[in-house]
Amino acid sequence: MKTIQHAISQMQSDKRLLIGIDGLSRSGKTTLVGYLKRNLVLNRDIVILHIDDFIVESNKRYNTDYEQWYEYYELQWEVDKLREQLFEKVLTKNTYVLSLPFYDTIDDKRTFKEIDLKENSIVFLEGIFLQRKEWRQFFDYIVYLDCSREERFRREGKTIKANLSKFEDRYWKAEDYYLDIINPKVQADIVING
């Protein structure tokens, strides 16, 4: 973690930063972000966002005419809209409020919420597939958590594990696609074992 703090401390202190915490499901992203928030000493405002807060309603990402892995990789988020509403605006100097569509899992709908930013905020965005070509260029620094599929699956709950076909058809195929096309370990600034 000292490496991450050192890297961030070397970046411009008067500039807003976007730091990505990338990794496949259950690799430890949320745990790492929580640790960084508690332990980083940078004297700057820290904002934490989770890419899964911005998924679309279930009817747009399930039971479409596409294969399940494609739904997960391509339809889970409105990739281009997030690029405009989140990525471009975080780095726009005169933007102090982000208006973003947060997903409500209970009601299966999205509601816009506002996130306040300071001129020199550090915005941590954690989630899967962050280094996709539409988003990668906006990050000042990317951490990739590398964790074996076996270990990540062990971390799942019993109920979720019971639906193995969903992992095989949806999640793992999309993850394999991401690993093959993007090669996130090579693209990241630092790789940490999750």
Side-chain angles (χ1 to χ4, degrees), residues 2 9-10 44 48 58-59 69 77 79 90 96-97 113 116 120 128-130 133 148 155 165 170-171 176 181 188 194:
K2 289 181 182 179
S9 69
Q10 298 302 306
R44 293 172 73 170
I48 296 176
S58 59
N59 68 337
W69 75 266
W77 303 271
V79 172
V90 162
Y96 295 101
V97 176
K113 296 180 185 177
D116 294 324
N120 70 341
I128 191 168
F129 309 144
L130 293 185
K133 65 181 177 7
S148 72
R155 295 173 182 175
S165 65
R170 190 175 188 85
Y171 303 126
D176 289 343
I181 298 301

Side-chain angles (χ1 to χ4, degrees), residues 36-89:
L36 292 172
K37 183 173 184 180
R38 289 187 309 275
N39 294 288
L40 281 181
V41 182
L42 297 169
N43 297 320
R44 293 172 73 170
D45 182 55
I46 294 178
V47 175
I48 296 176
L49 300 174
H50 306 274
I51 200 69
D52 281 346
D53 285 337
F54 310 117
I55 62 177
V56 298
E57 296 85 351
S58 59
N59 68 337
K60 295 179 182 175
R61 56 190 160 91
Y62 282 101
N63 303 313
T64 69
D65 291 333
Y66 295 101
E67 291 184 48
Q68 288 187 47
W69 75 266
Y70 183 89
E71 291 174 332
Y72 183 48
Y73 189 81
E74 295 291 347
L75 305 180
Q76 186 88 348
W77 303 271
E78 291 178 315
V79 172
D80 291 332
K81 282 189 179 177
L82 267 181
R83 178 185 168 128
E84 295 167 12
Q85 295 169 337
L86 171 61
F87 291 94
E88 291 177 2
K89 292 203 174 189

Side-chain angles (χ1 to χ4, degrees), residues 11 34 61-62 79 97 105 116 124 146 151-152 159 180 190:
M11 297 177 198
R61 56 190 160 91
Y62 282 101
V79 172
V97 176
T105 56
D116 294 324
F124 284 96
D146 188 27
E151 177 60 30
R152 292 183 295 109
T159 306
D180 291 342
I190 186 171

